[in-house]
Amino acid sequence: MDFRTKVERARRLKQLHAEYKPLVLPTVWDVWSARTAADAGFPALTVGSHPLAASRGAQDQEGQTFEEVLAAVRPIIAGVDVPVSVDLEAGYGQEPADLVAGLIEVGGVGLNIEDTVHSEGGRLRSAQEHARYVAGLRAAADAAGIPVWINGRTDVFAHAQDAKAVLDEAIERLRALEHAGADSVYPVRIQDDDELLEAVTGAIAVPVNSTAHPVKHDIERFRRLGVRRITYGPLLQLAMTDAMKDMLGPWTP
């Protein structure tokens, strides 16, 4: 993929976030799933770390190296004509400039970056540390001349025993990511809590991403709560696993 095409896809991904409220990015894991989603009419896709790892027999939570991830997503991106974002977990120990360079080289025009550093015992980055990393990603993308869409994720709700008790901290973290240059933000594990979702979307200016289940959730509910971007995480792959088991069950010896 040449430089011009990468720029065009990055600009298209940004335009789609403005056009769709919410923009649904099916989370895919191989060329087949990517082409299936694109052929269904979705204008952009995201590759999830969990389903990608599962498809390769690897572990999620940075159980793959950055080089392995790039090698796996290259044919996915090349196999479709729509923009593709890639979940890069906490960055696989890479410097922001190296992470962006690798992503751009394989044709990715968006990325998801979280604050749980699994390679360091699953510690949670501080708000300032994570914001600095996102700022580095923004600077690297700007220097490369490609407006990579940065989805800044926080796992603070997932780490808390009481999600409502950390709402203020979560909003502080998300605002720090926004100010650091994140194009959208992603508070995980609150997709089923209307109160928390609405509180977050009401406090953040950039699009807020939510996980969704392709069957069990209602897109109109997310729209009503102010969610402007939806990804499936591992839930699309898990839903397809359930469907496959149902189909195969009657034929089990």
Side-chain angles (χ1 to χ4, degrees):
M1 186 187 303
D2 61 24
F3 178 79
R4 180 178 178 182
T5 301
K6 293 174 184 178
V7 172
E8 289 175 350
R9 288 195 181 187
R11 289 175 176 169
R12 177 59 177 154
L13 184 58
K14 181 177 182 178
Q15 180 183 6
L16 290 169
H17 279 87
E19 290 179 1
Y20 289 84
K21 296 181 180 179
L23 174 64
V24 179
L25 299 173
T27 305
V28 300
W29 54 90
D30 60 11
V31 175
W32 167 80
S33 58
R35 286 178 173 169
T36 300
D39 289 347
F42 287 94
L45 309 170
T46 184
V47 178
S49 67
H50 187 146
L52 180 68
S55 73
R56 301 184 62 252
Q59 293 295 317
D60 189 26
Q61 302 181 346
E62 301 198 355
Q64 305 173 93
T65 67
F66 184 44
E67 292 73 20
E68 288 171 336
V69 170
L70 292 180
V73 302
R74 183 189 293 272
I76 299 174
I77 295 169
V80 293
D81 293 325
V82 299
V84 178
S85 180
V86 181
D87 178 3
L88 295 177
E89 303 197 65
Y92 305 102
Q94 303 292 310
E95 292 297 322
D98 295 329
L99 200 74
V100 168
L103 175 73
I104 290 174
E105 198 278 325
V106 298
V109 295
L111 64 89
N112 180 78
I113 194 78
E114 67 188 61
D115 52 8
T116 300
V117 189
H118 298 287
S119 61
E120 298 177 13
R123 73 174 182 88
L124 193 69
R125 286 176 177 147
S126 70
Q128 295 74 20
E129 181 187 7
H130 197 40
R132 284 196 299 271
Y133 197 89
V134 166
L137 296 172
R138 178 82 283 149
D142 290 347
I146 297 179
V148 172
W149 185 277
I150 299 173
N151 189 45
R153 166 176 154 171
T154 182
D155 293 349
V156 68
F157 288 116
H159 282 259
Q161 291 185 339
D162 180 359
K164 288 181 172 58
V166 297
L167 175 60
D168 289 345
E169 179 186 352
I171 290 174
E172 178 186 349
R173 284 175 174 269
L174 296 172
R175 283 176 172 164
L177 296 177
E178 177 184 349
H179 295 154
D183 299 287
S184 58
V185 294
Y186 185 12
V188 298
R189 300 285 181 89
I190 61 169
Q191 64 266 19
D192 293 314
D193 191 311
D194 287 19
E195 182 180 348
L196 287 176
L197 269 178
E198 196 163 30
V200 170
T201 60
I204 304 297
V206 297
V208 172
N209 189 111
S210 178
T211 308
H213 191 285
V215 177
K216 298 177 182 179
H217 282 133
D218 175 16
I219 191 172
E220 291 303 324
R221 168 180 167 268
F222 287 114
R223 182 177 290 118
R224 184 177 70 253
L225 294 173
V227 172
R228 290 171 55 192
R229 171 180 159 127
I230 290 174
T231 52
Y232 293 132
L235 299 183
L236 174 60
Q237 189 183 61
L238 293 175
M240 295 181 68
T241 300
D242 291 339
M244 184 174 179
K245 288 178 178 178
D246 290 340
M247 287 186 286
L248 293 176
W251 295 77
T252 303

